[in-house]
Amino acid sequence: GAVVSQHPSRVICKSGTSVKIECRSLDFQATTMFWYRQFPKQSLMLMATSNEGSKATYEQGVEKDKFLINHASLTLSTLTVTSAHPEDSSFYICSARVLAGSDEQFFGPGTRLTVL
Amino acid sequence: QKEVEQNSGPLSVPEGAIASLNCTYSDRGSQSFFWYRQYSGKSPELIMFIYSNGDKEDGRFTAQLNKASQYVSLLIRDSQPSDSATYLCAVSRPTDSWGKLQFGAGTQVVVTP
């Protein structure tokens, strides 16, 4: 149980384009999903918290107009990187909170974004 | 002071030995503590969680929590080369209702045959 998938696993795009990353909970309903970014040899950095049916909450320093998050259902959250630039190249990972009242998070496999 | 601190390593451990990883946290109100393993190029995988003071064992892994001293540790017994990875300590944020976790920078473990 507690399987989280992400799609695509790897994407290469040109500077200025937008990229959408999907995060799905496959065998449970996730009211809360989280989006992280990880640069090489650095730790996870929380970007935003995605809550089903409401607006995402962003961490300080994360541009909400650049990183659009939609949590349309209890099993799907999407992150769209708009007008991507080379400095947005990173490993983007989502996680899902399995149960309300529990802090356990299970991670998706991640999406490696390369912006040329 | 970082909210969650770990030694970055690398921690070199002979195969079959015990790997000992430590983590300290700054917020006394934290209630939930997690250890994740992350292989290079992969996403983190939950291996242990602990909520109460004391020890919790799961197979070759033992998590130890001491809330008074604000530290949590992970012991890996009979270390195997497949245990070579970065281990992330994560701590709940007591003021957050959404279940956010604060991650340490991770300790790299290298198990040598």
Side-chain angles (χ1 to χ4, degrees), chain B residues 25-56:
Chain B
Y25 60 95
S26 60
D27 196 324
R28 283 196 172 276
S30 296
Q31 295 294 322
S32 307
F33 307 86
F34 304 86
W35 284 99
Y36 287 84
R37 176 176 61 196
Q38 186 175 25
Y39 292 112
S40 180
K42 303 295 184 182
S43 66
E45 171 192 11
L46 179 64
I47 54 174
M48 288 284 296
F49 61 87
I50 186 167
Y51 300 144
S52 303
N53 279 329
D55 295 0
K56 180 181 179 183

PDB file of all heavy atoms in Angstrom, chain B residues 25-56:
ATOM      1  N   TYR B  25      17.295  18.019  16.729  1.00  0.00           N
ATOM      2  CA  TYR B  25      16.272  18.940  16.237  1.00  0.00           C
ATOM      3  C   TYR B  25      16.070  20.062  17.239  1.00  0.00           C
ATOM      4  O   TYR B  25      16.370  19.907  18.426  1.00  0.00           O
ATOM      5  CB  TYR B  25      14.961  18.191  15.962  1.00  0.00           C
ATOM      6  CG  TYR B  25      14.360  17.494  17.162  1.00  0.00           C
ATOM      7  CD1 TYR B  25      13.381  18.109  17.936  1.00  0.00           C
ATOM      8  CD2 TYR B  25      14.783  16.217  17.524  1.00  0.00           C
ATOM      9  CE1 TYR B  25      12.834  17.474  19.039  1.00  0.00           C
ATOM     10  CE2 TYR B  25      14.245  15.572  18.620  1.00  0.00           C
ATOM     11  CZ  TYR B  25      13.277  16.202  19.364  1.00  0.00           C
ATOM     12  OH  TYR B  25      12.733  15.563  20.469  1.00  0.00           O
ATOM     13  N   SER B  26      15.564  21.171  16.759  1.00  0.00           N
ATOM     14  CA  SER B  26      15.528  22.362  17.604  1.00  0.00           C
ATOM     15  C   SER B  26      14.174  22.606  18.271  1.00  0.00           C
ATOM     16  O   SER B  26      14.110  23.245  19.327  1.00  0.00           O
ATOM     17  CB  SER B  26      15.914  23.588  16.776  1.00  0.00           C
ATOM     18  OG  SER B  26      15.008  23.765  15.704  1.00  0.00           O
ATOM     19  N   ASP B  27      13.086  22.113  17.665  1.00  0.00           N
ATOM     20  CA  ASP B  27      11.759  22.440  18.190  1.00  0.00           C
ATOM     21  C   ASP B  27      11.293  21.386  19.190  1.00  0.00           C
ATOM     22  O   ASP B  27      11.008  20.257  18.821  1.00  0.00           O
ATOM     23  CB  ASP B  27      10.761  22.574  17.036  1.00  0.00           C
ATOM     24  CG  ASP B  27       9.488  23.282  17.464  1.00  0.00           C
ATOM     25  OD1 ASP B  27       9.041  23.084  18.627  1.00  0.00           O
ATOM     26  OD2 ASP B  27       8.933  24.044  16.664  1.00  0.00           O
ATOM     27  N   ARG B  28      11.190  21.780  20.451  1.00  0.00           N
ATOM     28  CA  ARG B  28      10.806  20.833  21.501  1.00  0.00           C
ATOM     29  C   ARG B  28       9.408  20.272  21.311  1.00  0.00           C
ATOM     30  O   ARG B  28       9.073  19.237  21.859  1.00  0.00           O
ATOM     31  CB  ARG B  28      10.867  21.523  22.870  1.00  0.00           C
ATOM     32  CG  ARG B  28      12.250  21.681  23.413  1.00  0.00           C
ATOM     33  CD  ARG B  28      12.228  21.998  24.910  1.00  0.00           C
ATOM     34  NE  ARG B  28      13.577  21.953  25.445  1.00  0.00           N
ATOM     35  CZ  ARG B  28      14.180  20.832  25.839  1.00  0.00           C
ATOM     36  NH1 ARG B  28      13.545  19.677  25.774  1.00  0.00           N
ATOM     37  NH2 ARG B  28      15.414  20.856  26.297  1.00  0.00           N
ATOM     38  N   GLY B  29       8.587  20.976  20.541  1.00  0.00           N
ATOM     39  CA  GLY B  29       7.214  20.522  20.345  1.00  0.00           C
ATOM     40  C   GLY B  29       7.049  19.431  19.306  1.00  0.00           C
ATOM     41  O   GLY B  29       5.958  18.887  19.147  1.00  0.00           O
ATOM     42  N   SER B  30       8.105  19.090  18.597  1.00  0.00           N
ATOM     43  CA  SER B  30       7.997  18.054  17.564  1.00  0.00           C
ATOM     44  C   SER B  30       7.590  16.735  18.188  1.00  0.00           C
ATOM     45  O   SER B  30       8.079  16.357  19.251  1.00  0.00           O
ATOM     46  CB  SER B  30       9.333  17.908  16.825  1.00  0.00           C
ATOM     47  OG  SER B  30       9.643  19.099  16.141  1.00  0.00           O
ATOM     48  N   GLN B  31       6.689  16.034  17.500  1.00  0.00           N
ATOM     49  CA  GLN B  31       6.140  14.803  18.060  1.00  0.00           C
ATOM     50  C   GLN B  31       6.433  13.565  17.219  1.00  0.00           C
ATOM     51  O   GLN B  31       6.370  12.448  17.717  1.00  0.00           O
ATOM     52  CB  GLN B  31       4.618  14.943  18.194  1.00  0.00           C
ATOM     53  CG  GLN B  31       4.179  16.012  19.180  1.00  0.00           C
ATOM     54  CD  GLN B  31       4.571  15.683  20.609  1.00  0.00           C
ATOM     55  OE1 GLN B  31       4.514  14.523  21.036  1.00  0.00           O
ATOM     56  NE2 GLN B  31       5.013  16.689  21.351  1.00  0.00           N
ATOM     57  N   SER B  32       6.697  13.765  15.934  1.00  0.00           N
ATOM     58  CA  SER B  32       6.863  12.624  15.031  1.00  0.00           C
ATOM     59  C   SER B  32       8.229  12.699  14.370  1.00  0.00           C
ATOM     60  O   SER B  32       8.652  13.769  13.931  1.00  0.00           O
ATOM     61  CB  SER B  32       5.776  12.635  13.945  1.00  0.00           C
ATOM     62  OG  SER B  32       4.500  12.716  14.515  1.00  0.00           O
ATOM     63  N   PHE B  33       8.878  11.526  14.267  1.00  0.00           N
ATOM     64  CA  PHE B  33      10.245  11.499  13.780  1.00  0.00           C
ATOM     65  C   PHE B  33      10.392  10.346  12.797  1.00  0.00           C
ATOM     66  O   PHE B  33       9.893   9.242  13.040  1.00  0.00           O
ATOM     67  CB  PHE B  33      11.223  11.331  14.952  1.00  0.00           C
ATOM     68  CG  PHE B  33      11.000  12.361  16.016  1.00  0.00           C
ATOM     69  CD1 PHE B  33      10.056  12.153  17.020  1.00  0.00           C
ATOM     70  CD2 PHE B  33      11.688  13.560  15.989  1.00  0.00           C
ATOM     71  CE1 PHE B  33       9.815  13.119  17.995  1.00  0.00           C
ATOM     72  CE2 PHE B  33      11.463  14.530  16.955  1.00  0.00           C
ATOM     73  CZ  PHE B  33      10.526  14.318  17.957  1.00  0.00           C
ATOM     74  N   PHE B  34      11.057  10.631  11.701  1.00  0.00           N
ATOM     75  CA  PHE B  34      11.121   9.667  10.609  1.00  0.00           C
ATOM     76  C   PHE B  34      12.554   9.537  10.107  1.00  0.00           C
ATOM     77  O   PHE B  34      13.326  10.492  10.110  1.00  0.00           O
ATOM     78  CB  PHE B  34      10.226  10.118   9.445  1.00  0.00           C
ATOM     79  CG  PHE B  34       8.801  10.357   9.845  1.00  0.00           C
ATOM     80  CD1 PHE B  34       8.396  11.585  10.347  1.00  0.00           C
ATOM     81  CD2 PHE B  34       7.859   9.350   9.723  1.00  0.00           C
ATOM     82  CE1 PHE B  34       7.076  11.811  10.724  1.00  0.00           C
ATOM     83  CE2 PHE B  34       6.543   9.566  10.097  1.00  0.00           C
ATOM     84  CZ  PHE B  34       6.161  10.792  10.603  1.00  0.00           C
ATOM     85  N   TRP B  35      12.863   8.339   9.648  1.00  0.00           N
ATOM     86  CA  TRP B  35      14.111   8.099   8.933  1.00  0.00           C
ATOM     87  C   TRP B  35      13.776   7.622   7.525  1.00  0.00           C
ATOM     88  O   TRP B  35      13.004   6.679   7.351  1.00  0.00           O
ATOM     89  CB  TRP B  35      14.979   7.055   9.641  1.00  0.00           C
ATOM     90  CG  TRP B  35      15.665   7.591  10.849  1.00  0.00           C
ATOM     91  CD1 TRP B  35      15.286   7.449  12.154  1.00  0.00           C
ATOM     92  CD2 TRP B  35      16.873   8.368  10.866  1.00  0.00           C
ATOM     93  NE1 TRP B  35      16.179   8.091  12.989  1.00  0.00           N
ATOM     94  CE2 TRP B  35      17.158   8.664  12.220  1.00  0.00           C
ATOM     95  CE3 TRP B  35      17.738   8.850   9.875  1.00  0.00           C
ATOM     96  CZ2 TRP B  35      18.283   9.411  12.600  1.00  0.00           C
ATOM     97  CZ3 TRP B  35      18.837   9.586  10.257  1.00  0.00           C
ATOM     98  CH2 TRP B  35      19.106   9.855  11.606  1.00  0.00           C
ATOM     99  N   TYR B  36      14.364   8.308   6.560  1.00  0.00           N
ATOM    100  CA  TYR B  36      14.198   7.946   5.163  1.00  0.00           C
ATOM    101  C   TYR B  36      15.566   7.550   4.599  1.00  0.00           C
ATOM    102  O   TYR B  36      16.598   8.095   4.979  1.00  0.00           O
ATOM    103  CB  TYR B  36      13.647   9.119   4.342  1.00  0.00           C
ATOM    104  CG  TYR B  36      12.196   9.435   4.575  1.00  0.00           C
ATOM    105  CD1 TYR B  36      11.787  10.240   5.637  1.00  0.00           C
ATOM    106  CD2 TYR B  36      11.210   8.938   3.718  1.00  0.00           C
ATOM    107  CE1 TYR B  36      10.445  10.533   5.839  1.00  0.00           C
ATOM    108  CE2 TYR B  36       9.868   9.231   3.912  1.00  0.00           C
ATOM    109  CZ  TYR B  36       9.500  10.026   4.972  1.00  0.00           C
ATOM    110  OH  TYR B  36       8.171  10.319   5.161  1.00  0.00           O
ATOM    111  N   ARG B  37      15.536   6.638   3.671  1.00  0.00           N
ATOM    112  CA  ARG B  37      16.752   6.246   2.947  1.00  0.00           C
ATOM    113  C   ARG B  37      16.608   6.732   1.511  1.00  0.00           C
ATOM    114  O   ARG B  37      15.558   6.557   0.885  1.00  0.00           O
ATOM    115  CB  ARG B  37      16.905   4.722   2.982  1.00  0.00           C
ATOM    116  CG  ARG B  37      18.082   4.179   2.188  1.00  0.00           C
ATOM    117  CD  ARG B  37      18.191   2.670   2.372  1.00  0.00           C
ATOM    118  NE  ARG B  37      17.020   1.966   1.906  1.00  0.00           N
ATOM    119  CZ  ARG B  37      16.716   0.714   2.220  1.00  0.00           C
ATOM    120  NH1 ARG B  37      17.504   0.027   3.049  1.00  0.00           N
ATOM    121  NH2 ARG B  37      15.630   0.140   1.737  1.00  0.00           N
ATOM    122  N   GLN B  38      17.668   7.318   0.998  1.00  0.00           N
ATOM    123  CA  GLN B  38      17.628   7.817  -0.377  1.00  0.00           C
ATOM    124  C   GLN B  38      18.865   7.333  -1.121  1.00  0.00           C
ATOM    125  O   GLN B  38      19.989   7.714  -0.797  1.00  0.00           O
ATOM    126  CB  GLN B  38      17.542   9.350  -0.423  1.00  0.00           C
ATOM    127  CG  GLN B  38      17.353   9.901  -1.823  1.00  0.00           C
ATOM    128  CD  GLN B  38      17.138  11.399  -1.861  1.00  0.00           C
ATOM    129  OE1 GLN B  38      17.553  12.126  -0.970  1.00  0.00           O
ATOM    130  NE2 GLN B  38      16.485  11.871  -2.914  1.00  0.00           N
ATOM    131  N   TYR B  39      18.640   6.504  -2.110  1.00  0.00           N
ATOM    132  CA  TYR B  39      19.719   6.095  -2.981  1.00  0.00           C
ATOM    133  C   TYR B  39      19.977   7.203  -3.996  1.00  0.00           C
ATOM    134  O   TYR B  39      19.076   7.981  -4.327  1.00  0.00           O
ATOM    135  CB  TYR B  39      19.374   4.790  -3.703  1.00  0.00           C
ATOM    136  CG  TYR B  39      19.298   3.583  -2.795  1.00  0.00           C
ATOM    137  CD1 TYR B  39      18.086   2.946  -2.539  1.00  0.00           C
ATOM    138  CD2 TYR B  39      20.440   3.074  -2.185  1.00  0.00           C
ATOM    139  CE1 TYR B  39      18.001   1.836  -1.708  1.00  0.00           C
ATOM    140  CE2 TYR B  39      20.370   1.966  -1.345  1.00  0.00           C
ATOM    141  CZ  TYR B  39      19.152   1.366  -1.116  1.00  0.00           C
ATOM    142  OH  TYR B  39      19.088   0.265  -0.281  1.00  0.00           O
ATOM    143  N   SER B  40      21.198   7.240  -4.497  1.00  0.00           N
ATOM    144  CA  SER B  40      21.584   8.282  -5.442  1.00  0.00           C
ATOM    145  C   SER B  40      20.661   8.293  -6.656  1.00  0.00           C
ATOM    146  O   SER B  40      20.446   7.257  -7.297  1.00  0.00           O
ATOM    147  CB  SER B  40      23.031   8.056  -5.884  1.00  0.00           C
ATOM    148  OG  SER B  40      23.431   9.053  -6.794  1.00  0.00           O
ATOM    149  N   GLY B  41      20.101   9.444  -6.953  1.00  0.00           N
ATOM    150  CA  GLY B  41      19.235   9.585  -8.116  1.00  0.00           C
ATOM    151  C   GLY B  41      17.814   9.100  -7.919  1.00  0.00           C
ATOM    152  O   GLY B  41      17.007   9.131  -8.849  1.00  0.00           O
ATOM    153  N   LYS B  42      17.498   8.656  -6.713  1.00  0.00           N
ATOM    154  CA  LYS B  42      16.155   8.152  -6.419  1.00  0.00           C
ATOM    155  C   LYS B  42      15.483   9.026  -5.376  1.00  0.00           C
ATOM    156  O   LYS B  42      16.098   9.881  -4.749  1.00  0.00           O
ATOM    157  CB  LYS B  42      16.234   6.708  -5.906  1.00  0.00           C
ATOM    158  CG  LYS B  42      16.925   5.741  -6.855  1.00  0.00           C
ATOM    159  CD  LYS B  42      16.154   5.575  -8.145  1.00  0.00           C
ATOM    160  CE  LYS B  42      16.796   4.533  -9.040  1.00  0.00           C
ATOM    161  NZ  LYS B  42      16.069   4.409 -10.335  1.00  0.00           N
ATOM    162  N   SER B  43      14.189   8.787  -5.175  1.00  0.00           N
ATOM    163  CA  SER B  43      13.453   9.546  -4.163  1.00  0.00           C
ATOM    164  C   SER B  43      13.569   8.862  -2.807  1.00  0.00           C
ATOM    165  O   SER B  43      13.938   7.691  -2.725  1.00  0.00           O
ATOM    166  CB  SER B  43      11.987   9.682  -4.581  1.00  0.00           C
ATOM    167  OG  SER B  43      11.363   8.417  -4.576  1.00  0.00           O
ATOM    168  N   PRO B  44      13.259   9.563  -1.735  1.00  0.00           N
ATOM    169  CA  PRO B  44      13.376   8.967  -0.390  1.00  0.00           C
ATOM    170  C   PRO B  44      12.364   7.845  -0.159  1.00  0.00           C
ATOM    171  O   PRO B  44      11.251   7.863  -0.672  1.00  0.00           O
ATOM    172  CB  PRO B  44      13.093  10.149   0.538  1.00  0.00           C
ATOM    173  CG  PRO B  44      13.363  11.359  -0.281  1.00  0.00           C
ATOM    174  CD  PRO B  44      12.949  10.990  -1.672  1.00  0.00           C
ATOM    175  N   GLU B  45      12.792   6.907   0.667  1.00  0.00           N
ATOM    176  CA  GLU B  45      11.968   5.751   1.019  1.00  0.00           C
ATOM    177  C   GLU B  45      11.892   5.703   2.546  1.00  0.00           C
ATOM    178  O   GLU B  45      12.911   5.708   3.222  1.00  0.00           O
ATOM    179  CB  GLU B  45      12.628   4.489   0.469  1.00  0.00           C
ATOM    180  CG  GLU B  45      12.017   3.185   0.925  1.00  0.00           C
ATOM    181  CD  GLU B  45      12.906   2.003   0.582  1.00  0.00           C
ATOM    182  OE1 GLU B  45      14.072   2.216   0.179  1.00  0.00           O
ATOM    183  OE2 GLU B  45      12.440   0.864   0.737  1.00  0.00           O
ATOM    184  N   LEU B  46      10.672   5.651   3.072  1.00  0.00           N
ATOM    185  CA  LEU B  46      10.492   5.606   4.519  1.00  0.00           C
ATOM    186  C   LEU B  46      10.954   4.255   5.068  1.00  0.00           C
ATOM    187  O   LEU B  46      10.527   3.204   4.604  1.00  0.00           O
ATOM    188  CB  LEU B  46       9.020   5.825   4.864  1.00  0.00           C
ATOM    189  CG  LEU B  46       8.644   5.793   6.343  1.00  0.00           C
ATOM    190  CD1 LEU B  46       9.310   6.942   7.094  1.00  0.00           C
ATOM    191  CD2 LEU B  46       7.129   5.861   6.519  1.00  0.00           C
ATOM    192  N   ILE B  47      11.840   4.292   6.063  1.00  0.00           N
ATOM    193  CA  ILE B  47      12.291   3.041   6.660  1.00  0.00           C
ATOM    194  C   ILE B  47      11.881   2.904   8.124  1.00  0.00           C
ATOM    195  O   ILE B  47      11.697   1.794   8.608  1.00  0.00           O
ATOM    196  CB  ILE B  47      13.813   2.842   6.528  1.00  0.00           C
ATOM    197  CG1 ILE B  47      14.606   4.034   7.075  1.00  0.00           C
ATOM    198  CG2 ILE B  47      14.195   2.589   5.087  1.00  0.00           C
ATOM    199  CD1 ILE B  47      16.096   3.787   7.088  1.00  0.00           C
ATOM    200  N   MET B  48      11.728   4.019   8.833  1.00  0.00           N
ATOM    201  CA  MET B  48      11.353   3.922  10.245  1.00  0.00           C
ATOM    202  C   MET B  48      10.622   5.184  10.654  1.00  0.00           C
ATOM    203  O   MET B  48      10.898   6.259  10.137  1.00  0.00           O
ATOM    204  CB  MET B  48      12.587   3.802  11.144  1.00  0.00           C
ATOM    205  CG  MET B  48      13.329   2.495  11.113  1.00  0.00           C
ATOM    206  SD  MET B  48      12.522   1.172  12.014  1.00  0.00           S
ATOM    207  CE  MET B  48      12.565   1.785  13.691  1.00  0.00           C
ATOM    208  N   PHE B  49       9.732   5.049  11.607  1.00  0.00           N
ATOM    209  CA  PHE B  49       9.190   6.217  12.274  1.00  0.00           C
ATOM    210  C   PHE B  49       9.097   5.911  13.764  1.00  0.00           C
ATOM    211  O   PHE B  49       8.993   4.749  14.176  1.00  0.00           O
ATOM    212  CB  PHE B  49       7.829   6.630  11.715  1.00  0.00           C
ATOM    213  CG  PHE B  49       6.753   5.588  11.864  1.00  0.00           C
ATOM    214  CD1 PHE B  49       5.992   5.505  13.025  1.00  0.00           C
ATOM    215  CD2 PHE B  49       6.483   4.704  10.833  1.00  0.00           C
ATOM    216  CE1 PHE B  49       4.991   4.546  13.151  1.00  0.00           C
ATOM    217  CE2 PHE B  49       5.491   3.746  10.952  1.00  0.00           C
ATOM    218  CZ  PHE B  49       4.753   3.669  12.111  1.00  0.00           C
ATOM    219  N   ILE B  50       9.164   6.958  14.562  1.00  0.00           N
ATOM    220  CA  ILE B  50       9.111   6.772  16.010  1.00  0.00           C
ATOM    221  C   ILE B  50       8.435   7.983  16.619  1.00  0.00           C
ATOM    222  O   ILE B  50       8.664   9.124  16.189  1.00  0.00           O
ATOM    223  CB  ILE B  50      10.530   6.536  16.600  1.00  0.00           C
ATOM    224  CG1 ILE B  50      10.450   6.202  18.083  1.00  0.00           C
ATOM    225  CG2 ILE B  50      11.455   7.713  16.339  1.00  0.00           C
ATOM    226  CD1 ILE B  50      11.766   5.646  18.649  1.00  0.00           C
ATOM    227  N   TYR B  51       7.567   7.744  17.584  1.00  0.00           N
ATOM    228  CA  TYR B  51       6.818   8.828  18.202  1.00  0.00           C
ATOM    229  C   TYR B  51       7.101   8.944  19.701  1.00  0.00           C
ATOM    230  O   TYR B  51       6.928  10.016  20.280  1.00  0.00           O
ATOM    231  CB  TYR B  51       5.311   8.603  18.025  1.00  0.00           C
ATOM    232  CG  TYR B  51       4.842   8.533  16.591  1.00  0.00           C
ATOM    233  CD1 TYR B  51       3.810   7.674  16.225  1.00  0.00           C
ATOM    234  CD2 TYR B  51       5.420   9.307  15.586  1.00  0.00           C
ATOM    235  CE1 TYR B  51       3.366   7.596  14.917  1.00  0.00           C
ATOM    236  CE2 TYR B  51       4.987   9.229  14.276  1.00  0.00           C
ATOM    237  CZ  TYR B  51       3.957   8.375  13.947  1.00  0.00           C
ATOM    238  OH  TYR B  51       3.525   8.295  12.646  1.00  0.00           O
ATOM    239  N   SER B  52       7.521   7.826  20.330  1.00  0.00           N
ATOM    240  CA  SER B  52       7.691   7.820  21.785  1.00  0.00           C
ATOM    241  C   SER B  52       9.156   7.671  22.163  1.00  0.00           C
ATOM    242  O   SER B  52       9.947   7.065  21.416  1.00  0.00           O
ATOM    243  CB  SER B  52       6.907   6.649  22.395  1.00  0.00           C
ATOM    244  OG  SER B  52       5.549   6.724  22.042  1.00  0.00           O
ATOM    245  N   ASN B  53       9.504   8.197  23.306  1.00  0.00           N
ATOM    246  CA  ASN B  53      10.869   8.029  23.813  1.00  0.00           C
ATOM    247  C   ASN B  53      11.227   6.554  23.923  1.00  0.00           C
ATOM    248  O   ASN B  53      10.392   5.714  24.225  1.00  0.00           O
ATOM    249  CB  ASN B  53      11.000   8.680  25.193  1.00  0.00           C
ATOM    250  CG  ASN B  53      11.212  10.168  25.118  1.00  0.00           C
ATOM    251  OD1 ASN B  53      11.810  10.676  24.181  1.00  0.00           O
ATOM    252  ND2 ASN B  53      10.695  10.875  26.104  1.00  0.00           N
ATOM    253  N   GLY B  54      12.501   6.267  23.651  1.00  0.00           N
ATOM    254  CA  GLY B  54      12.954   4.900  23.769  1.00  0.00           C
ATOM    255  C   GLY B  54      13.393   4.352  22.430  1.00  0.00           C
ATOM    256  O   GLY B  54      13.715   5.099  21.518  1.00  0.00           O
ATOM    257  N   ASP B  55      13.409   3.035  22.361  1.00  0.00           N
ATOM    258  CA  ASP B  55      13.872   2.351  21.165  1.00  0.00           C
ATOM    259  C   ASP B  55      12.706   1.719  20.418  1.00  0.00           C
ATOM    260  O   ASP B  55      11.737   1.271  21.018  1.00  0.00           O
ATOM    261  CB  ASP B  55      14.862   1.244  21.537  1.00  0.00           C
ATOM    262  CG  ASP B  55      16.142   1.779  22.149  1.00  0.00           C
ATOM    263  OD1 ASP B  55      16.258   3.015  22.277  1.00  0.00           O
ATOM    264  OD2 ASP B  55      17.020   0.969  22.498  1.00  0.00           O
ATOM    265  N   LYS B  56      12.867   1.660  19.104  1.00  0.00           N
ATOM    266  CA  LYS B  56      11.911   0.948  18.263  1.00  0.00           C
ATOM    267  C   LYS B  56      12.708   0.157  17.242  1.00  0.00           C
ATOM    268  O   LYS B  56      13.537   0.711  16.536  1.00  0.00           O
ATOM    269  CB  LYS B  56      10.969   1.927  17.555  1.00  0.00           C
ATOM    270  CG  LYS B  56       9.960   1.236  16.661  1.00  0.00           C
ATOM    271  CD  LYS B  56       9.067   2.243  15.967  1.00  0.00           C
ATOM    272  CE  LYS B  56       8.071   1.535  15.059  1.00  0.00           C
ATOM    273  NZ  LYS B  56       7.220   2.502  14.317  1.00  0.00           N
TER     274      LYS B  56
END
